[in-house]
Amino acid sequence: MNLVLGDTVRRDAADHGRVERRDFVEALHYFPFILMNLVVALANIDSAMEEVAQMLGASGFRLFRRIVFPLAMPGYVAGASLVFVKVFDDLGRPLVLNVTNMLAPQAYLRITIRSGSKTRSAT
């Protein structure tokens, strides 16, 4: 993965580049969960509703905003909910079981320790 992302990721701090790459890889990993739900929701939209909206003068962005977007929103929310549960599971389960040698708890602990030390030094 380092060969793919190489020097394209900017690095402000020692682990900042690593965190950005992890977020990018997680986004690629969880993207299909949202995409599949959204594709099904878009496929289930009745084309007659779009045709009626076009006959009434809606086109382009207005058609999308008034017809397609509200009808596709349940699919997006379902996919986003699945992704939220999976990401929270990656972090929550190891923290509940007190396992800190996995990637998500290590990233969480590094962020909280850094922000904790910054707030302490600011006060």
Side-chain angles (χ1 to χ4, degrees):
M1 191 49 119
N2 287 335
L3 293 175
V4 174
L5 296 175
D7 293 331
T8 61
V9 179
R10 73 184 162 87
R11 294 179 180 153
D12 294 337
D15 293 329
H16 189 67
R18 187 180 306 154
V19 171
E20 282 183 351
R21 284 183 278 196
R22 180 190 51 83
D23 291 344
F24 177 71
V25 170
E26 276 195 23
L28 285 178
H29 176 72
Y30 291 124
F31 178 71
F33 290 100
I34 293 178
L35 181 67
M36 293 301 292
N37 282 294
L38 196 57
V39 166
V40 170
L42 289 171
N44 287 333
I45 293 176
D46 189 12
S47 62
M49 295 183 82
E50 293 179 44
E51 291 174 9
V52 169
Q54 286 175 343
M55 284 191 269
L56 293 173
S59 63
F61 184 70
R62 185 173 184 162
L63 178 69
F64 175 77
R65 186 172 48 106
R66 298 283 181 144
I67 305 297
V68 176
F69 184 69
L71 293 173
M73 185 57 74
Y76 175 76
V77 170
S81 299
L82 285 173
V83 169
F84 174 77
V85 168
K86 288 189 71 55
V87 169
F88 188 75
D89 183 45
D90 285 347
L91 173 65
R93 188 177 348 148
L95 287 178
V96 168
L97 298 175
N98 200 18
V99 177
T100 58
N101 61 350
M102 297 176 72
L103 180 63
Q106 285 177 356
Y108 172 74
L109 293 172
R110 284 183 185 170
I111 291 169
T112 56
I113 289 171
R114 276 193 207 145
S115 65
S117 64
K118 288 179 184 176
T119 56
R120 284 187 209 128
S121 63
T123 57

